[in-house]
Amino acid sequence: MKKQLDPLIRVLGHPFQDTQLLELALTHRSHGNQNNERLEFLGDSIVNFLIAEDLYQRFPQAREGQLSRLRARLVKGATLAEVAREFSLGDYLRLGSGELKSGGFRRDSILADSLEAVIGAIYLDAGMSAVRKRVLDWFSERLEKLTLNDTQKDPKTRLQEFLQSRQYALPRYEVVQVEGEAHSQLFTVECVIDQLDYRPLGIGSSRRHAEQQAAEKTLQALEVK
């Protein structure tokens, strides 16, 4: 399998001594009992630490909450899936027949988990120094673009805190429509609060994204800066 993985190895930038580690990192649990779940567990901890370490050094004046929000932006599933797509990681995944038929190689959660597994594999193959170099290189453009202005709380949190500060009831989020196949659904969500006589809508590829968009529109309607 090494020759088949050579293009991926080149784009990852790490010359694996043990390519079986990479093969395991690319094997989803739907493929069999020998899969990447343990490597994913390891890689998740490593990427969180490495990004936290870089942010700590990059923003010496930042508060703990600001650092946490910046890290969350970089290590969330959607961002990890974006990085995985830059490597065409989905083309190399070993999936069970059901996941193949449902387009699992395109799914954010599978791509993000697989990238974490690759990070775990690099660590086991060559140690912390090697994996630090790779991860920071992969995330370099995203890290360079960050500023402390990016640490504003997400819309749902801001809306909740705004309503709580005035002793109003908390918002409700109601799913009004789900469209598309299981691997590419589109959610429409309403935000319901007593202070508005209509329900702002949010649309997104996940319920969470749709709720955030609905909360943002509600904040705009309430003229909350």
Side-chain angles (χ1 to χ4, degrees):
M1 189 171 180
K2 183 179 187 303
K3 185 175 181 181
Q4 297 173 351
L5 293 177
D6 280 346
L8 177 61
I9 289 171
R10 284 195 296 272
V11 75
L12 290 174
H14 176 72
F16 275 87
Q17 301 300 308
D18 182 0
T19 55
Q20 289 186 344
L21 283 169
L22 179 57
E23 292 176 21
L24 184 61
L26 299 171
T27 304
H28 187 255
R29 65 178 177 270
S30 63
H31 192 271
N33 292 330
Q34 294 296 315
N35 57 62
N36 63 8
E37 287 188 324
R38 284 170 53 84
L39 285 174
E40 174 202 334
F41 165 79
L42 184 60
D44 174 69
S45 298
I46 292 168
V47 71
N48 270 275
F49 166 72
L50 291 176
I51 295 299
E53 180 186 48
D54 183 87
L55 293 173
Y56 181 86
Q57 296 169 350
R58 189 179 295 267
F59 298 104
Q61 305 304 319
R63 298 185 300 276
E64 182 272 341
Q66 291 176 303
L67 293 172
S68 293
R69 285 189 285 276
L70 286 174
R71 181 181 61 179
R73 285 188 56 181
L74 291 173
V75 301
K76 66 183 180 181
T79 305
L80 294 174
E82 285 176 5
V83 176
R85 288 190 179 94
E86 291 169 6
F87 302 140
S88 299
L89 201 65
D91 295 345
Y92 298 90
L93 297 181
R94 301 167 72 187
L95 304 171
S97 58
E99 287 292 352
L100 279 172
K101 290 176 182 176
S102 66
F105 58 91
R106 294 189 298 265
R107 191 172 303 139
D108 276 9
S109 59
I110 290 179
L111 289 169
D113 292 347
S114 299
L115 184 70
E116 289 176 338
V118 169
I119 290 169
I122 293 174
Y123 169 74
L124 293 179
D125 190 62
M128 184 59 79
S129 178
V131 75
R132 177 183 284 109
K133 184 176 181 180
R134 289 297 87 226
V135 168
L136 295 184
D137 181 63
W138 299 345
F139 283 84
S140 60
E141 289 188 17
R142 291 172 173 85
L143 285 164
E144 290 296 333
K145 291 177 181 177
L146 289 178
T147 72
L148 291 183
N149 293 329
D150 297 318
T151 60
Q152 188 177 38
K153 295 176 182 178
D154 65 82
K156 284 183 66 177
T157 301
R158 289 165 53 211
L159 177 60
Q160 179 173 317
E161 290 181 351
F162 171 80
L163 295 174
Q164 285 178 322
S165 70
R166 287 156 177 78
Q167 298 184 327
Y168 295 152
L170 294 180
R172 300 195 320 274
Y173 297 94
E174 299 180 358
V175 177
V176 296
Q177 187 169 308
V178 181
E179 298 177 285
E181 301 296 327
H183 63 278
S184 59
Q185 291 182 323
L186 199 64
F187 292 79
T188 301
V189 172
E190 291 179 337
C191 181
V192 185
I193 63 170
D194 296 336
Q195 291 70 39
L196 293 177
D197 57 7
Y198 72 100
R199 300 179 174 190
L201 287 177
I203 300 174
S205 58
S206 70
R207 178 171 178 169
R208 183 176 66 85
H209 290 158
E211 288 177 352
Q212 293 287 8
Q213 188 181 110
E216 181 63 44
K217 290 183 178 179
T218 303
L219 286 166
Q220 292 171 4
L222 293 171
E223 298 183 351
V224 178
K225 304 298 183 183

